[in-house]
Structures are given as C-alpha cells and as structure tokens.
Amino acid sequence: MADTALITGITGQDGSYLAELLVGLGYNVYGLVRGQNNPRLPVVAQLCPAVEFIEGDLLDQSSLIAALEICQPTEVYNLGAISFVSLSYKQAVLTGEVSGLGVTRMLEAIRTVNPRIRFFQASSSEMFGKVRERPQNELTGFHPRSPYGVAKVYAHYITANYRESYGIFACSGILFNHESPRRGLEFVTRKITSGAARIKLGLQPNLALGNLETERDWGFAGEYVDAMHRMLQQAEPRDFVVATGETHGLREFLQVAFSRVGLNWEDHVISDPRFLRPIDVDSLIGDASRARDELGWIPKTSFEDLVTMMVDADLTLQERLVSQVGR
Ligand code: GDP
C-alpha cells in the first residue's frame, strides 16, 4: 500500500516542494489548510494537483485529531508556523501558540490516533540566535533572539520529549535559511531579488532594507525537503542540522543579485528603520556533516546559483505581470 503523508504549512514555500517530492515518490499527499478561502490555496493546487486538502488548524486540537483520522497518514511533516521573525515580535503570543504549542497539539493528536505515525518537525537555525560556536551543529546550545526562535526551541524540545516519553518516531531537522523563487516576499532574499528585477524594469526606484550587517547560511529549499523525507526513512529517529556549511553577508547577496540585472546595488538600496528588529541574529553557519554521513544528503546548489535562479525567476514574473496589466 502506498505511504500517506500529511503536510502542515502546505501553502508555504517548503510545503509545495515537499508535496512535489512525495507525489513523485508515489505517496498519497494531504495538505492541512487553515481558514476559509485561503488565498494561497489555488497556487499550491496548481503546482501540485495531486495533493488533497484537508481543513485543520494548529490552534485547534480536535481539528488535528479529525485530520489524522480522515487521512490516516504514515508520516506527518509539520511545516506550519508563523515563520517571519519580524511578525513574531508583533504577535508574540500567537507565535508561541502556533509555532510552539501547535507542535504539542499535533504530537498529542498522533499519540491519540496512531502513535506509529512518523513525525517531522521543522526546527530552525534561529534557535542558535546569539551563537555559542561556529559552525553550529546538533550539540550546539540554543540562545534564541526572537519570539519566533523561542517558540521553535520549545517545539524542538517537545518533539524530543514525545520521542523519549512515548517512543514516537519524532525528529527535528534544524533547518538553516533556505530560499527559492517560492520564498515569501517578506523575507530578505526574495525582497532583494524581486526588488532588483523591478528596479531593472523601471517599476520601482529603490529598495528599502534594515540591518545589512548580517550573515546567513542560505541554501536552496528544493533540496532541504529531501533531507526532511530522508530523516523519516531512518531506522531510528534523530535530529539533523540541514545547512550548506557556507555563510554569506547580505551585501554579498545584494552584489550578486543586482549585478545579475546589470545594476550596482549601492545606487538603489536605502536604509529604513522600519525593517530593523529589536535585536537580530548576526551570523549563522551550519555543520551538516551528520546529515551527509547518515542521510547521504549533500546540498548541490551554490550560493551564486541560488541567487541567480531567484533573480531570473523574478524578472520573468515581473515581465509577465507588466505584459498582463501594464505599468
Ligand atoms: P530570518 O533569518 O529568518 O530572520 O530571515 P529574513 O530573511 O527575514 O532576515 C534575514 C536577515 O536579513 C536578518 O538579519 C534581517 O534583520 C536582515 N534584513 C535586513 N533588511 C531586511 C528587510 O528589509 N527584510 C527582512 N526580512 N530582513 C532584513
């Protein structure tokens, strides 16, 4: 019988890539969708027509139990969260409810409906925050720097706790920043690649950003979902760092993105305090050697290729929008 997966966060960047991967592997794939008339649903339905949607909300315990009873999954991938650090400062309680306690609700649903379901939790490099060592691995201590990071630490530990307490095959991928043309426009990478494309086409004069003194380990999201799947196929549940092992500054990202469209970023980027955070995570770099050695997972897309892929996709998108609606 084919495996069945339930994905929360199906309308997000990772949800669509993971759904495509699992459908290709022959899984029946269900996506948990929240709210009435979710505006992002048609996009995912078009990208992955084989996915069946099921209503439910990480805030609502009974809806999670009902969803598991209906789709009877063998695997649950929890990608649903309030994932934008800036928003987590403005809605700290909601972030804790969704990104933190939501995980407990899903684990409780699994324990109630079928404790043999394998569970993947999308943990985050934001848990390392004010980093204790470089690079960060599975043993590095946490020091989160935002309500988002704090909620993810809680979620990480509750996943380990249900594994240890109830023997559930539950594990976390500590995912470093991962990007793609499907990344939300609120995140800095996509904001830059979309901005560079629009400036090139004369659709906007400049790009307003916050803290430029930041470095991230940016990988390609399409490859990170493969690591998630591999984690659930192991003999024993274990947590893994998923990262490229390289770090790049925001200025370097700007340089590669703007030069792709023949522009100099310093002529167009302006500073706007609205995009500053109370405190920030300065620099992240992951050590994914456990994933390489035990999962056989190796990231292939280089930093330059990632930025170029995103700029090219945004140029194509903006050109299409211009031809459809005019300026
Ligand atoms: P994060 O690592 O999950 O917070 O991912 P983001 O893409 O939201 O932010 C990455 C880094 O870029 C952070 O250090 C931000 O402070 C910095 N940054 C600078 N300007 C901006 C901006 O205009 N928007 C966002 N989202 N981040 C910015």
Side-chain angles (χ1 to χ4, degrees):
M1 214 175 72
D3 281 321
T4 298
L6 174 67
I7 302 173
T8 74
I10 188 73
T11 56
Q13 166 186 256
D14 294 4
S16 65
Y17 280 116
L18 180 63
E20 284 174 339
L21 174 79
L22 296 180
V23 168
L25 292 171
Y27 278 70
N28 299 315
V29 179
Y30 288 85
L32 194 77
V33 287
R34 176 175 57 89
Q36 283 177 289
N37 203 10
N38 189 319
R40 290 166 78 177
L41 200 54
V43 181
V44 187
Q46 199 185 11
L47 281 171
C48 324
V51 173
E52 290 192 53
F53 298 103
I54 189 159
E55 281 173 21
D57 195 318
L58 288 167
L59 295 176
D60 187 278
Q61 180 75 68
S62 62
S63 74
L64 301 181
I65 292 174
L68 295 186
E69 279 171 345
I70 292 166
C71 64
Q72 294 290 330
T74 44
E75 298 173 3
V76 170
Y77 293 86
N78 185 43
L79 313 182
I82 289 187
S83 63
F84 186 39
V85 168
S86 293
L87 180 63
S88 82
Y89 274 108
K90 293 181 187 126
Q91 300 188 7
V93 175
L94 184 65
T95 301
E97 285 283 355
V98 176
S99 308
L101 274 179
V103 181
T104 313
R105 292 191 191 96
M106 182 58 90
L107 287 163
E108 273 297 302
I110 287 173
R111 203 162 75 86
T112 306
V113 175
N114 176 7
R116 287 182 309 283
I117 294 171
R118 294 188 169 207
F119 177 74
F120 172 84
Q121 165 61 13
S123 282
S124 166
S125 56
E126 290 289 318
M127 300 189 305
F128 297 123
K130 190 164 189 250
V131 297
R132 300 208 180 152
E133 60 181 345
R134 286 169 64 86
Q136 297 85 49
N137 64 28
E138 292 82 1
L139 301 176
T140 303
F142 300 140
H143 187 146
R145 297 272 272 176
S146 63
Y148 168 76
V150 173
K152 284 286 181 180
V153 169
Y154 171 84
H156 185 80
Y157 282 134
I158 201 72
T159 300
N161 182 255
Y162 272 58
R163 174 170 72 221
E164 292 167 10
S165 302
Y166 305 116
I168 292 174
F169 193 113
C171 46
S172 296
I174 305 176
L175 310 170
F176 281 63
N177 295 54
H178 45 290
E179 319 295 315
S180 75
R182 299 181 194 173
R183 188 62 146 147
L185 286 162
E186 67 275 33
F187 293 92
V188 79
T189 53
R190 185 76 200 292
K191 185 173 171 181
I192 292 170
T193 59
S194 177
R198 288 176 56 81
I199 292 168
K200 175 70 183 172
L201 297 175
L203 299 172
Q204 69 184 55
N206 46 40
L207 178 63
L209 293 176
N211 174 24
L212 300 188
E213 310 302 322
T214 191
E215 296 176 340
R216 289 289 184 275
D217 180 331
W218 280 296
F220 173 46
E223 296 173 344
Y224 283 43
V225 299
D226 176 40
M228 301 175 190
H229 175 253
R230 286 175 191 238
M231 284 177 63
L232 292 198
Q233 314 316 309
Q234 301 304 297
E236 299 293 333
R238 228 181 160 196
D239 300 334
F240 290 88
V241 160
V242 185
T244 69
E246 283 181 25
T247 192
H248 297 270
L250 205 51
R251 287 188 175 79
E252 193 183 348
F253 194 105
L254 285 160
Q255 203 275 324
V256 178
F258 275 77
S259 67
R260 180 70 182 169
V261 292
L263 297 174
N264 179 7
W265 71 268
E266 283 161 312
D267 297 338
H268 299 281
V269 169
I270 56 172
S271 172
D272 187 334
R274 280 183 307 148
F275 299 112
L276 294 173
R277 298 162 184 186
I279 48 172
D280 207 349
V281 172
D282 301 330
S283 177
L284 292 171
I285 178 166
D287 170 6
S289 25
R290 181 187 286 179
R292 183 195 58 218
D293 296 346
E294 294 184 25
L295 305 177
W297 181 83
I298 297 167
K300 298 189 182 66
T301 307
S302 71
F303 174 73
E304 283 74 17
D305 288 350
L306 174 64
V307 181
T308 304
M309 175 206 310
M310 292 176 68
V311 173
D312 291 356
D314 273 318
L315 254 187
T316 306
L317 176 69
Q318 292 299 329
E319 280 166 349
R320 203 177 62 226
L321 290 176
V322 167
S323 70
Q324 277 169 3
V325 295
R327 297 174 189 219

